[in-house]
PDB file of all heavy atoms in Angstrom:
ATOM      1  N   LEU A  53      17.633 -20.243  12.858  1.00 95.00           N
ATOM      2  CA  LEU A  53      18.945 -19.666  13.072  1.00 95.00           C
ATOM      3  C   LEU A  53      19.185 -19.593  14.527  1.00 95.00           C
ATOM      4  O   LEU A  53      18.263 -19.335  15.309  1.00 95.00           O
ATOM      5  CB  LEU A  53      18.958 -18.283  12.446  1.00 95.00           C
ATOM      6  CG  LEU A  53      18.456 -18.160  11.023  1.00 95.00           C
ATOM      7  CD1 LEU A  53      18.456 -16.733  10.594  1.00 95.00           C
ATOM      8  CD2 LEU A  53      19.300 -18.978  10.097  1.00 95.00           C
ATOM      9  N   PRO A  54      20.428 -19.744  15.006  1.00 91.00           N
ATOM     10  CA  PRO A  54      20.686 -19.737  16.441  1.00 91.00           C
ATOM     11  C   PRO A  54      20.209 -18.463  17.140  1.00 91.00           C
ATOM     12  O   PRO A  54      20.436 -17.399  16.578  1.00 91.00           O
ATOM     13  CB  PRO A  54      22.249 -19.836  16.526  1.00 91.00           C
ATOM     14  CG  PRO A  54      22.638 -20.431  15.203  1.00 91.00           C
ATOM     15  CD  PRO A  54      21.650 -19.960  14.217  1.00 91.00           C
ATOM     16  N   GLY A  55      19.577 -18.645  18.268  1.00 87.00           N
ATOM     17  CA  GLY A  55      19.148 -17.513  19.060  1.00 87.00           C
ATOM     18  C   GLY A  55      17.930 -16.728  18.591  1.00 87.00           C
ATOM     19  O   GLY A  55      17.613 -15.689  19.090  1.00 87.00           O
ATOM     20  N   ARG A  56      17.253 -17.280  17.616  1.00 91.00           N
ATOM     21  CA  ARG A  56      16.069 -16.630  17.038  1.00 91.00           C
ATOM     22  C   ARG A  56      14.903 -17.598  16.945  1.00 91.00           C
ATOM     23  O   ARG A  56      15.122 -18.793  16.823  1.00 91.00           O
ATOM     24  CB  ARG A  56      16.314 -16.149  15.618  1.00 91.00           C
ATOM     25  CG  ARG A  56      17.335 -15.098  15.449  1.00 91.00           C
ATOM     26  CD  ARG A  56      17.524 -14.795  13.955  1.00 91.00           C
ATOM     27  NE  ARG A  56      18.434 -13.728  13.776  1.00 91.00           N
ATOM     28  CZ  ARG A  56      18.141 -12.445  13.734  1.00 91.00           C
ATOM     29  NH1 ARG A  56      16.917 -12.071  13.880  1.00 91.00           N
ATOM     30  NH2 ARG A  56      19.069 -11.507  13.530  1.00 91.00           N
ATOM     31  N   PRO A  57      13.671 -17.105  17.066  1.00 95.00           N
ATOM     32  CA  PRO A  57      12.534 -17.989  16.803  1.00 95.00           C
ATOM     33  C   PRO A  57      12.547 -18.293  15.284  1.00 95.00           C
ATOM     34  O   PRO A  57      13.187 -17.590  14.474  1.00 95.00           O
ATOM     35  CB  PRO A  57      11.338 -17.076  17.110  1.00 95.00           C
ATOM     36  CG  PRO A  57      11.804 -15.708  17.091  1.00 95.00           C
ATOM     37  CD  PRO A  57      13.260 -15.715  17.413  1.00 95.00           C
ATOM     38  N   PRO A  58      11.883 -19.370  14.875  1.00 97.00           N
ATOM     39  CA  PRO A  58      11.871 -19.683  13.471  1.00 97.00           C
ATOM     40  C   PRO A  58      11.331 -18.528  12.592  1.00 97.00           C
ATOM     41  O   PRO A  58      10.406 -17.811  13.028  1.00 97.00           O
ATOM     42  CB  PRO A  58      10.922 -20.869  13.356  1.00 97.00           C
ATOM     43  CG  PRO A  58      10.868 -21.458  14.732  1.00 97.00           C
ATOM     44  CD  PRO A  58      11.069 -20.286  15.682  1.00 97.00           C
ATOM     45  N   LEU A  59      11.949 -18.313  11.489  1.00 97.00           N
ATOM     46  CA  LEU A  59      11.555 -17.241  10.563  1.00 97.00           C
ATOM     47  C   LEU A  59      10.798 -17.781   9.363  1.00 97.00           C
ATOM     48  O   LEU A  59      11.137 -18.906   8.881  1.00 97.00           O
ATOM     49  CB  LEU A  59      12.815 -16.507  10.061  1.00 97.00           C
ATOM     50  CG  LEU A  59      13.771 -15.921  11.098  1.00 97.00           C
ATOM     51  CD1 LEU A  59      14.996 -15.341  10.405  1.00 97.00           C
ATOM     52  CD2 LEU A  59      13.087 -14.868  11.895  1.00 97.00           C
ATOM     53  N   GLY A  60       9.870 -17.010   8.826  1.00 97.00           N
ATOM     54  CA  GLY A  60       9.236 -17.329   7.549  1.00 97.00           C
ATOM     55  C   GLY A  60      10.028 -16.696   6.411  1.00 97.00           C
ATOM     56  O   GLY A  60      11.100 -16.056   6.657  1.00 97.00           O
ATOM     57  N   ASN A  61       9.547 -16.860   5.242  1.00 97.00           N
ATOM     58  CA  ASN A  61      10.206 -16.287   4.036  1.00 97.00           C
ATOM     59  C   ASN A  61      10.432 -14.803   4.116  1.00 97.00           C
ATOM     60  O   ASN A  61      11.543 -14.321   3.874  1.00 97.00           O
ATOM     61  CB  ASN A  61       9.470 -16.677   2.758  1.00 97.00           C
ATOM     62  CG  ASN A  61       9.566 -18.127   2.421  1.00 97.00           C
ATOM     63  OD1 ASN A  61      10.624 -18.742   2.509  1.00 97.00           O
ATOM     64  ND2 ASN A  61       8.464 -18.717   2.026  1.00 97.00           N
ATOM     65  N   ASP A  62       9.369 -14.108   4.496  1.00 97.00           N
ATOM     66  CA  ASP A  62       9.484 -12.606   4.558  1.00 97.00           C
ATOM     67  C   ASP A  62      10.477 -12.152   5.665  1.00 97.00           C
ATOM     68  O   ASP A  62      11.289 -11.279   5.394  1.00 97.00           O
ATOM     69  CB  ASP A  62       8.143 -11.969   4.761  1.00 97.00           C
ATOM     70  CG  ASP A  62       7.211 -12.123   3.536  1.00 97.00           C
ATOM     71  OD1 ASP A  62       7.759 -12.334   2.449  1.00 97.00           O
ATOM     72  OD2 ASP A  62       6.006 -12.029   3.763  1.00 97.00           O
ATOM     73  N   GLU A  63      10.467 -12.798   6.802  1.00 97.00           N
ATOM     74  CA  GLU A  63      11.416 -12.445   7.896  1.00 97.00           C
ATOM     75  C   GLU A  63      12.852 -12.772   7.459  1.00 97.00           C
ATOM     76  O   GLU A  63      13.779 -12.041   7.752  1.00 97.00           O
ATOM     77  CB  GLU A  63      11.027 -13.134   9.137  1.00 97.00           C
ATOM     78  CG  GLU A  63       9.743 -12.731   9.796  1.00 97.00           C
ATOM     79  CD  GLU A  63       8.567 -13.577   9.311  1.00 97.00           C
ATOM     80  OE1 GLU A  63       8.752 -14.458   8.482  1.00 97.00           O
ATOM     81  OE2 GLU A  63       7.434 -13.313   9.810  1.00 97.00           O
ATOM     82  N   PHE A  64      13.038 -13.870   6.780  1.00 97.00           N
ATOM     83  CA  PHE A  64      14.351 -14.241   6.328  1.00 97.00           C
ATOM     84  C   PHE A  64      14.876 -13.228   5.275  1.00 97.00           C
ATOM     85  O   PHE A  64      16.034 -12.838   5.337  1.00 97.00           O
ATOM     86  CB  PHE A  64      14.386 -15.680   5.728  1.00 97.00           C
ATOM     87  CG  PHE A  64      15.729 -16.187   5.425  1.00 97.00           C
ATOM     88  CD1 PHE A  64      16.626 -16.532   6.412  1.00 97.00           C
ATOM     89  CD2 PHE A  64      16.154 -16.305   4.095  1.00 97.00           C
ATOM     90  CE1 PHE A  64      17.882 -16.995   6.134  1.00 97.00           C
ATOM     91  CE2 PHE A  64      17.448 -16.739   3.817  1.00 97.00           C
ATOM     92  CZ  PHE A  64      18.298 -17.101   4.849  1.00 97.00           C
ATOM     93  N   LYS A  65      14.008 -12.783   4.409  1.00 97.00           N
ATOM     94  CA  LYS A  65      14.399 -11.768   3.474  1.00 97.00           C
ATOM     95  C   LYS A  65      14.814 -10.464   4.147  1.00 97.00           C
ATOM     96  O   LYS A  65      15.821  -9.861   3.729  1.00 97.00           O
ATOM     97  CB  LYS A  65      13.242 -11.479   2.463  1.00 97.00           C
ATOM     98  CG  LYS A  65      12.975 -12.549   1.467  1.00 97.00           C
ATOM     99  CD  LYS A  65      11.720 -12.159   0.611  1.00 97.00           C
ATOM    100  CE  LYS A  65      11.312 -13.272  -0.316  1.00 97.00           C
ATOM    101  NZ  LYS A  65      10.156 -12.910  -1.106  1.00 97.00           N
TER     102      LYS A  65
END
Side-chain angles (χ1 to χ4, degrees):
L53 311 174
R56 295 178 176 271
L59 304 175
N61 288 317
D62 291 338
E63 294 91 358
F64 187 74
K65 288 177 186 180

